[in-house]
Amino acid sequence: MRLHVADHPLIAHKLTVLRDVRTPSPIFRQLTEELVTLLAYEATREIRTVAEEIDTPVARTTGTTLAEPRPLVVPILRAGLGMLEGMTRLLPTAEVGFLGLQRNEETLEAVTYANRLPDDLTGRQCFVVDPMLATGGTLVASIEYLFERGARDVTCVCLLAAPEGLRMVQEAIGDRADVTIVTAAVDDHLNEKGYIIPGLGDAGDRLYGVID
Ligand code: URA
């Protein structure tokens, strides 16, 4: 597993506003999209390309274009949806799959409740988007799901990560495949309820409001 912490003043600024408890949902959503676009730029550094011959108005030249098969973006429902627009803005030709994983608030384990993914992900570059890498349970379950369908090249884009979650992904995935985590920051620790500290609270609630 590789970890890339995106170190940029604009990322740090946007993350600070996201963390602030006073930031209302509409601003939180907009900033999440902007932040994800910046993270997506880092996350796509290794995206596969092919050379393409084109004509400019004045000369023939060799350019670069994204290779087939198209990359797959997989938002983890529900909070990952808030990151989708930011990803597809940078990767408009990507396909989008969905994975619904929810953590059981008592056991903190990930339970699958929905999935809409291509059956065969062999040779596909997959970009999993989930705002909070907390215990790591959801992310490990998502990566395993993609592995079962043949994917071996997975990049996870998270707004924030906890050291405990990073350790869990490292232990569960090891060097079995090419897995990269791209995040805006690695925070201090998880509290007893599994929240990232200092974190930004419940990402789904901050994006979409509290569902009772
Ligand atoms: N999920 C969240 O939304 N926030 C956390 O801090 C941890 C998990």
Side-chain angles (χ1 to χ4, degrees), residues 103 132 134 194-196 201-204:
R103 55 174 196 170
M132 310 298 273
Y195 280 92
I196 298 178
D202 186 300

Side-chain angles (χ1 to χ4, degrees), residues 46-48 69-73 121 123-127 153-154:
E46 307 282 326
I47 201 155
R48 280 195 287 272
R70 289 184 286 158
L72 181 75
V73 177
L121 295 176
R124 214 74 194 272
Q125 281 185 301
C126 299
F127 294 87
D153 182 346
V154 180

Side-chain angles (χ1 to χ4, degrees), residues 28-198:
F28 192 96
R29 280 200 293 273
Q30 187 192 326
L31 274 173
T32 298
E33 279 178 22
E34 291 172 13
L35 185 51
V36 171
T37 303
L38 296 173
L39 293 177
Y41 184 73
E42 298 290 341
T44 50
R45 269 188 194 282
E46 307 282 326
I47 201 155
R48 280 195 287 272
T49 58
V50 287
E52 185 178 293
E53 291 280 303
I54 55 152
D55 294 306
T56 76
V58 287
R60 189 149 185 85
T61 188
T62 307
T64 300
T65 186
L66 294 190
E68 294 284 339
R70 289 184 286 158
L72 181 75
V73 177
V74 184
I76 308 301
L77 306 177
R78 131 181 108 127
L81 276 185
M83 299 172 73
L84 181 57
E85 179 68 27
M87 279 303 289
T88 53
R89 188 174 300 151
L90 210 67
L91 283 176
T93 58
E95 257 186 70
V96 179
F98 295 92
L99 205 45
L101 287 153
Q102 207 171 29
R103 55 174 196 170
N104 178 313
E105 291 299 334
E106 271 155 33
T107 63
L108 300 184
E109 274 182 19
V111 184
T112 308
Y113 66 87
N115 108 66
R116 188 95 176 100
L117 290 174
D119 289 336
D120 185 9
L121 295 176
T122 311
R124 214 74 194 272
Q125 281 185 301
C126 299
F127 294 87
V128 175
V129 294
D130 194 11
M132 310 298 273
L133 171 47
T135 62
T138 303
L139 206 59
V140 168
S142 312
I143 296 168
E144 293 288 2
Y145 221 93
L146 301 177
F147 281 2
E148 277 167 27
R149 293 174 182 226
R152 287 294 174 271
D153 182 346
V154 180
T155 300
C156 308
V157 182
C158 305
L159 300 181
L160 283 179
E164 294 90 333
L166 289 170
R167 266 197 303 277
M168 175 159 178
V169 177
Q170 172 62 45
E171 279 160 21
I173 307 299
D175 293 323
R176 263 193 293 155
D178 191 3
V179 173
T180 304
I181 312 278
V182 176
T183 185
V186 177
D187 271 6
D188 199 55
H189 67 282
L190 292 182
N191 72 8
E192 63 295 345
K193 292 190 172 155
Y195 280 92
I196 298 178
I197 303 298

